[in-house]
Amino acid sequence: MHSSERQLLKALFPEGNPVYSSDNPTVKRSYTAASQFKSSVSELVSNLMEKSPNYIRCIKPNATQKPHSFDSDLVEHQVRYLGLMENIQVRRAGFAFKQFYEEFLVRYKMLSKDTWPVWKASARGGTRKILQACRKVEECEFGRTKIFIRDPKTVFLLEDKRKRLLHIIATIIQKIFRGYIQRKKYLQIRNAQVCIARHWKGYRVRKDYLQVREAAIVLQKHWRGKMARTELWRMKCAVKGPGAVGVIIRYWRGYKVRKHYGAILKRKTLNYQKAAAEMIIRLFKAYLNYRFLVFIRDHLPTPSPIDKRWP
């Protein structure tokens, strides 16, 4: 057909094209309807094999679709028609529940104190501990990788206990989390209070230190001023001591001369000019004697008798 001159026939039958022959494996042939159906079926089968399908059967309580109305004959007919009685008999003859040890342990490990919160041994041993805590070991069979439970009431009991314990566990988690939040807030407030107290204490200590430092500086200033004034007074006394003595002597002699001159004026026994001349001569001689004695005091020769500086 592909060798026909009609383009439609060539498109409908591409198998005759030598390009798509088996001798040319590099060229991919186009998908046909059969190949597409085959690939879809294989993909569906692979997906089903990877899953664990559960079948849900719906039963109508009445034919009128009204609430709070139950027709027992209609329900019995549906149960018999769907074959639920036979399924229940088969289930009772075998095991109603089966599950891998790891999945069972993860789901029900809170039912035993030995497996909660962490179980470090084998999953089969943890499963046995859980069933021993629930006192349901006799109703179960332990396989190589799975646990088999015969009575569905055992599964319902495990689920009810799990629901109650999940509520308690959620409460504990909330309590711990709220406690963590409150402790975090408390630590933040405490750290802030410690930081504020540290800075406040540092400020007070620095302020007290500055006050003590200023007081010490004032005391040092006054003490050094007193010592400087004392030293200045001592130096003045040491430098001006001999000059002060001479001034005192001069004033004293002047006072004696004025007193003696006043007595002479009162007595009026001698002539004023003669008495004044004599007084001046006497005072001049006394001054010369004083100068001579001062010179000797300042230029005393050595105690040696051969010293030529002796007068």
Side-chain angles (χ1 to χ4, degrees), residues 1-17:
M1 292 293 181
H2 184 74
S3 60
S4 176
E5 297 179 357
R6 302 290 182 178
Q7 296 296 330
L8 179 60
L9 293 177
K10 289 184 178 181
L12 290 176
F13 299 95
E15 292 84 359
N17 192 349

Side-chain angles (χ1 to χ4, degrees), residues 54-71:
N54 295 316
Y55 300 98
I56 301 174
R57 295 174 176 86
C58 298
I59 300 175
K60 293 182 179 180
N62 57 71
T64 58
Q65 298 182 359
K66 292 182 179 180
H68 308 291
S69 179
F70 186 83
D71 189 353

